[in-house]
Amino acid sequence: MSDEDPDWGSAFPEEFPHSKYTAPDPASLPRIIIHIDLDCFYAQVEMVRNPDLRSKPMGVQQKQIVITTNYLARARGIPKTGSVQALSQAYPDLILVNGEDLHEYRRFSQRIFELVSSLSFAHAVERLGMDENFVDVTPWVHAQIQGSKDPDTKCVVQGHVFQEGKWDELDPWHRCLALGSVLADRIRTQIRQELGLTSSAGIAMNKTLAKLVGGCHKPDDQTMLLPSQTLSLLQTLKSPRAIPGIGSATNANLIELGIETLTDLQEAKISDLAEMFDRDMAERLIQLSQGIDPSPVKTSGKPQSIGLEDRFKVISTRDESKAKLKWLLGRLAQLIYEDGRIPRVIRVTARDKIKERAKGRRWLKESRQTQISRHLMNRLKSSPDLPPHEESQLVDICLSLLDKMVNESNPYQLTLLGISVSDFPAETSNSIQNYFGAGAAKIESSRPPKRSHETPAINEEVLSQLPPDIRAEIYQSNVKKVKLSSPATPLTDFPHDWDPEVWASLPLDIRSELLASRPTHHPKAQPTNQKTKSITSYFQKKN
Ligand code: DCP
Ligand code: MG
Ligand code: MG
């Protein structure tokens, strides 16, 4: 189905050609953001692949964890996630499908993103993890409101209004949101008709509120939030942790500051947070707690990194680590091949139970990264398999990165290993590439690049309920950056995230060129254009 010929009659069934109506100034209208989340995503993909499963309570399993269940199962009281053992015991008729191969999920995820991006009213589409997309429909909606439509024109809302609230069809803000609800319905219909998958949506003035309200009527339905309902929606959340973008590490810092409830955070001042957060972050956290989120919907491009992780009971020898890293590299090679770009940085992530205990931390992931010569992965431009020689060199590089986190002479108990790659050059032939890889002039594959994103092959139990952006935040907060103890370079401006040994081995002119070509490593958070206001004054603005 195409959106070339949309029937907007249902949104504005009548016209008033003689109206003296003055269109509202778009600057006075809200942004309209739609958040789409697929229902029991992995389970739905499995049901598309095997329709017999539709009539059965089923779940998707990775290792010993059930990571999602279909809605038939949920209707019978089977939880969305849990351990395989517990769920199988309690619900013997629950059918479990192995979901460790992410290929089909990624493929559907990509198709959803492409479908939504192709809709003419979708101004920007931002992917969030595997099964979510933010869609900014503001320009289309404002154009409609500003067009010939009279304020007396009847306007409809598709789906629900949050808490079945009353909306005012004469209010331009409400009308914008109502139009958003019609577009959300259109998106969901397209996904259902073209891919056979149901989804749920939230429609609100910003990304955070759209995501929060979208969960109110699941599955296969949608909810719109009126501006005056923002506080009521936030009141349904127990802690700051429930806000998308506030991960458990940030939440732990807030608790240390004595900020435990959402109300505590709503009433906090930037200075109250200064001990733990810089000014920008403090302001952003307070704003988020008040439902203020000026962050734009950024059109998703290719991911900045590609990677996977595996979790296991315990690894405590170098041979086991080597075997696991080799296995991970093999799977990563497939992802890099599908992506079509050749990376310049490789990173190994590990979690060591003994270190966690010693540091009294429940969740401690460490990472080390280094530059790699491009020729090592060049073959992945045309084949999903690494040649044996390159593979063994890469395994050695990974092992040496692991050595920086694990001391072989001390006992260790690894429970997670991951490998990711990043720093995909945008330009093709320059002296730096010549230096790093002979004959590596062309980087982008000629076949259309496929998108992929960093998703653990196996997810941690503790992360089981977290959306990927929050997982990424936790991940980032635990990353230990490589520190340069004695810079073997006359260039004092050393890129903090590069391996010192590799850096030291580069000729000076290459170092200078690399420094000049790289963006700043600690970009400041985007300054927000909204000042923190008292929450009441903010929401009094619109009703
Ligand atoms: N997922 C995962 N590991 C987890 C949790 C989820 O790999 N710990 C996968 C399986 C889910 C998919 O991500 O199907 C999307 O996650 P959601 O949280 O959106 O959950 P679902 O789409 O499964 O269910 P819902 O209908 O509640 O959105
Ligand atoms: Mg989902
Ligand atoms: Mg989701």
Side-chain angles (χ1 to χ4, degrees):
M1 186 164 122
S2 148
D3 70 314
E4 288 308 305
D5 184 26
D7 173 17
W8 299 115
S10 58
F12 284 120
E14 298 161 37
E15 297 262 346
F16 288 77
H18 308 299
S19 167
K20 294 192 183 99
Y21 170 57
T22 319
D25 174 5
S28 69
L29 294 173
R31 289 192 299 148
I32 301 297
I33 310 297
I34 298 169
H35 175 259
I36 303 278
D37 185 293
L38 273 288
D39 302 320
C40 60
F41 181 49
Y42 286 13
Q44 278 207 85
V45 171
E46 296 302 340
M47 291 188 290
V48 167
R49 295 168 86 183
N50 177 5
D52 287 350
L53 293 171
R54 287 194 183 282
S55 55
K56 305 188 170 101
M58 62 84 67
V60 177
Q61 140 182 29
Q62 284 179 348
K63 293 279 170 78
Q64 288 311 305
I65 303 166
V66 175
I67 50 166
T68 193
T69 50
N70 67 3
Y71 275 84
L72 189 67
R74 295 189 208 181
R76 296 193 188 174
I78 303 177
K80 176 175 165 179
T81 58
S83 83
V84 168
Q85 199 193 11
L87 294 190
S88 308
Q89 219 163 19
Y91 308 99
D93 59 341
L94 176 67
I95 294 171
L96 290 176
V97 176
N98 188 300
E100 285 168 22
D101 183 349
L102 304 184
H103 195 261
E104 276 302 289
Y105 312 139
R106 286 198 168 103
R107 211 168 61 82
F108 270 93
S109 174
Q110 178 63 19
R111 287 174 71 191
I112 294 163
F113 173 73
E114 281 167 7
L115 190 157
V116 179
S117 304
S118 73
L119 300 172
S120 56
F121 53 78
H123 174 66
V125 184
E126 179 177 338
R127 261 172 109 159
L128 182 64
M130 281 270 203
D131 81 332
E132 297 175 36
N133 285 280
F134 288 108
V135 194
D136 186 344
V137 293
T138 307
W140 191 95
V141 166
H142 286 190
Q144 290 292 313
I145 295 282
Q146 282 204 290
S148 60
K149 311 298 180 188
D150 190 278
D152 292 335
T153 309
K154 282 254 172 295
C155 181
V156 299
V157 168
Q158 291 290 346
H160 300 261
V161 177
F162 177 63
Q163 293 180 339
E164 310 311 322
K166 245 181 89 60
W167 69 287
D168 175 4
E169 60 182 290
L170 297 181
D171 183 321
W173 282 43
H174 289 194
R175 291 169 77 84
C176 284
L177 287 158
L179 278 171
S181 78
V182 173
L183 297 178
D185 182 63
R186 173 62 60 111
I187 295 170
R188 293 177 42 244
T189 303
Q190 298 263 123
I191 295 175
R192 190 174 54 249
Q193 290 182 339
E194 294 195 16
L195 303 174
L197 302 173
T198 67
S199 57
S200 303
I203 306 102
M205 306 182 296
N206 64 46
K207 285 159 69 175
T208 298
L209 295 175
K211 183 168 160 71
L212 284 171
V213 81
C216 289
H217 289 95
K218 244 182 173 299
D220 199 16
D221 212 334
Q222 58 180 61
T223 317
M224 161 183 135
L225 184 77
L226 300 173
S228 58
Q229 298 179 309
T230 302
L231 274 181
S232 308
L233 174 67
L234 293 169
Q235 270 158 12
T236 65
L237 311 177
K238 289 189 190 77
S239 93
R241 178 71 191 79
I243 299 228
I246 300 188
S248 49
T250 304
N251 199 45
N253 289 337
L254 288 171
I255 290 171
E256 268 191 58
L257 293 171
I259 295 172
E260 296 192 1
T261 66
L262 201 67
T263 317
D264 293 341
L265 186 55
Q266 286 171 343
E267 291 169 356
K269 293 190 214 61
I270 291 177
S271 55
D272 298 335
L273 272 56
E275 205 182 302
M276 291 281 184
F277 304 99
D278 68 23
R279 205 190 148 76
D280 287 343
M281 181 67 172
E283 184 175 24
R284 167 120 177 105
L285 288 172
I286 295 168
Q287 284 188 339
L288 280 177
S289 74
Q290 298 174 351
I292 302 167
D293 175 13
S295 67
V297 174
K298 289 190 213 107
T299 298
S300 295
K302 287 199 161 205
Q304 293 193 337
S305 68
I306 304 170
L308 64 148
E309 294 178 347
D310 194 18
R311 193 178 66 87
F312 31 80
K313 210 152 189 188
V314 71
I315 280 185
S316 49
T317 67
R318 194 173 170 78
D319 282 351
E320 289 171 300
S321 301
K322 188 171 178 176
K324 184 59 75 179
L325 288 169
K326 190 171 169 194
W327 179 81
L328 281 166
L329 259 177
R331 300 192 61 157
L332 182 62
Q334 168 83 37
L335 299 181
I336 297 169
Y337 166 71
E338 286 180 7
D339 180 273
R341 295 169 298 165
I342 300 302
R344 291 196 298 203
V345 165
I346 193 161
R347 173 195 288 256
V348 171
T349 302
R351 189 175 166 192
D352 178 359
K353 236 175 162 171
I354 292 189
K355 239 185 227 180
E356 280 178 348
R357 270 192 228 118
K359 299 203 173 181
R361 297 268 296 270
R362 250 186 82 222
W363 180 254
L364 181 65
K365 270 208 250 180
E366 283 187 281
S367 295
R368 293 292 186 276
Q369 67 180 40
T370 187
Q371 291 267 337
I372 45 169
S373 166
R374 290 194 57 249
H375 79 266
L376 287 175
M377 292 205 178
N378 241 7
R379 175 74 70 84
L380 300 180
K381 285 197 283 187
S382 54
S383 151
D385 299 314
L386 285 163
H389 181 64
E390 278 80 352
E391 183 187 60
S392 98
Q393 282 193 46
L394 283 163
V395 170
D396 287 346
I397 291 174
C398 290
L399 272 173
S400 65
L401 289 170
L402 187 61
D403 286 340
K404 294 177 189 226
M405 297 178 271
V406 162
N407 184 345
E408 279 297 324
S409 47
N410 294 332
Y412 58 87
Q413 291 182 347
L414 299 181
T415 55
L416 175 147
L417 276 172
I419 310 181
S420 66
V421 289
S422 57
D423 197 2
F424 305 97
E427 294 302 321
T428 52
S429 62
N430 61 34
S431 60
I432 295 166
Q433 264 127 34
N434 293 342
Y435 178 84
F436 278 115
K442 207 158 186 322
I443 285 154
E444 295 290 344
S445 144
S446 57
R447 68 200 147 81
K450 291 184 185 162
R451 289 186 186 87
S452 165
H453 52 249
E454 183 151 356
T455 310
I458 306 298
N459 292 281
E460 296 284 332
E461 275 155 289
V462 257
L463 293 186
S464 64
Q465 295 301 323
L466 309 184
D469 55 336
I470 297 170
R471 287 185 217 161
E473 191 192 318
I474 296 168
Y475 172 76
Q476 286 300 339
S477 69
N478 287 294
V479 165
K480 289 263 158 65
K481 296 277 187 324
V482 172
K483 287 201 181 81
L484 181 68
S485 47
S486 57
T489 166
L491 293 171
T492 49
D493 192 9
F494 180 82
H496 75 286
D497 58 341
W498 289 19
D499 189 287
E501 285 149 37
V502 176
W503 183 252
S505 71
L506 300 178
L508 282 182
D509 56 331
I510 298 291
R511 289 188 221 171
S512 309
E513 194 176 344
L514 283 167
L515 281 171
S517 68
R518 285 178 66 88
T520 324
H521 286 269
H522 284 306
K524 277 236 153 218
Q526 289 289 317
T528 53
N529 52 11
Q530 264 174 290
K531 291 267 166 292
T532 310
K533 299 171 192 162
S534 108
I535 186 153
T536 358
S537 68
Y538 179 79
F539 292 113
Q540 268 163 359
K541 196 175 144 201
K542 264 324 290 181
N543 272 308

